[in-house]
Amino acid sequence: MKNLIALVAFTGILMNGLVAQNKSLNWLGINASASAGELIRYGKETDGGISYNGKIGFLIGFGFTRVINDRFDFESGVEYSRHSFNSSYINDLGQSIRSFNPENVDLISVPANIRMKFRKQFFVTGGIQYDQRFNVPNPVTIDNQTGIGLNLKFGKEFKLSGQQILCVSPEVRIHSIVPFFPEKNQQRLTEIGLRLGHKFGL
């Protein structure tokens, strides 16, 4: 009888450990996205000067997720993104002058987000990010995007296994909401894109 009780107790402890492993509190992941970007002067009229035509941008990065409870997670990480813009303007003779080479906006971003989880693995993630522009060309015509930005994502998770999750989420990212190098009528890089993520439970 004692052996049976011990066996039942051991089985219970083992099952509890397996369940705990399937409910990881910490997750590491990789992210990638493609997005369309625009340089927008919110609440300000354009000065009729240089206009910009953006190409499809991309983002790659590493993410960290910490489960807070059944409803909320905290997310952070390090991300690299690039958007490229060709510029054009009208000179004094009324001729359209276009750039031969695009100007790149390269950013390293560190987000601090809160994820709210819903039924059927849907979620909404929002928060701020610190953006640092680097590899700045000379001359430069696009305002420095270094500063604090905002991001918002709505998506769905797909469990590949107990310890692997695929995430798909449309996203909006606005940079330089609080610019560290403000300019008059500050340009704010605004992105609308689609993100894919793959997370691994620890």
Side-chain angles (χ1 to χ4, degrees), residues 32-66:
S33 71
S35 62
E38 294 287 342
L39 297 168
I40 301 177
R41 305 178 194 271
Y42 289 95
K44 302 290 185 179
E45 294 183 0
T46 59
D47 55 11
I50 299 176
S51 60
Y52 297 89
N53 181 30
K55 300 181 178 181
I56 296 296
F58 68 89
L59 174 148
I60 55 175
F62 296 95
F64 169 76
T65 301
R66 170 70 180 184

Side-chain angles (χ1 to χ4, degrees), residues 61-145:
F62 296 95
F64 169 76
T65 301
R66 170 70 180 184
V67 176
I68 300 173
N69 53 40
D70 290 340
R71 192 69 185 273
F72 296 100
D73 296 342
F74 171 77
E75 294 184 341
S76 188
V78 178
E79 301 170 340
Y80 163 68
S81 62
R82 166 176 281 191
H83 277 80
S84 301
F85 296 88
N86 284 105
S87 61
S88 63
Y89 66 95
I90 305 299
N91 66 10
D92 295 337
L93 300 177
Q95 298 172 323
S96 177
I97 306 299
R98 300 179 182 273
S99 61
F100 290 101
N101 298 311
E103 181 174 334
N104 298 322
V105 179
D106 294 312
L107 296 173
I108 293 291
S109 301
V110 179
N113 296 334
I114 295 295
R115 170 184 290 206
M116 180 181 292
K117 296 172 283 189
F118 300 95
R119 297 178 61 185
K120 298 183 179 180
Q121 307 301 315
F122 285 99
F123 64 86
V124 172
T125 300
I128 63 175
Q129 80 265 346
Y130 168 73
D131 298 311
Q132 175 67 56
R133 187 178 181 185
F134 69 100
N135 196 26
V136 181
N138 186 20
V140 60
T141 64
I142 297 175
D143 295 344
N144 197 326
Q145 300 298 304

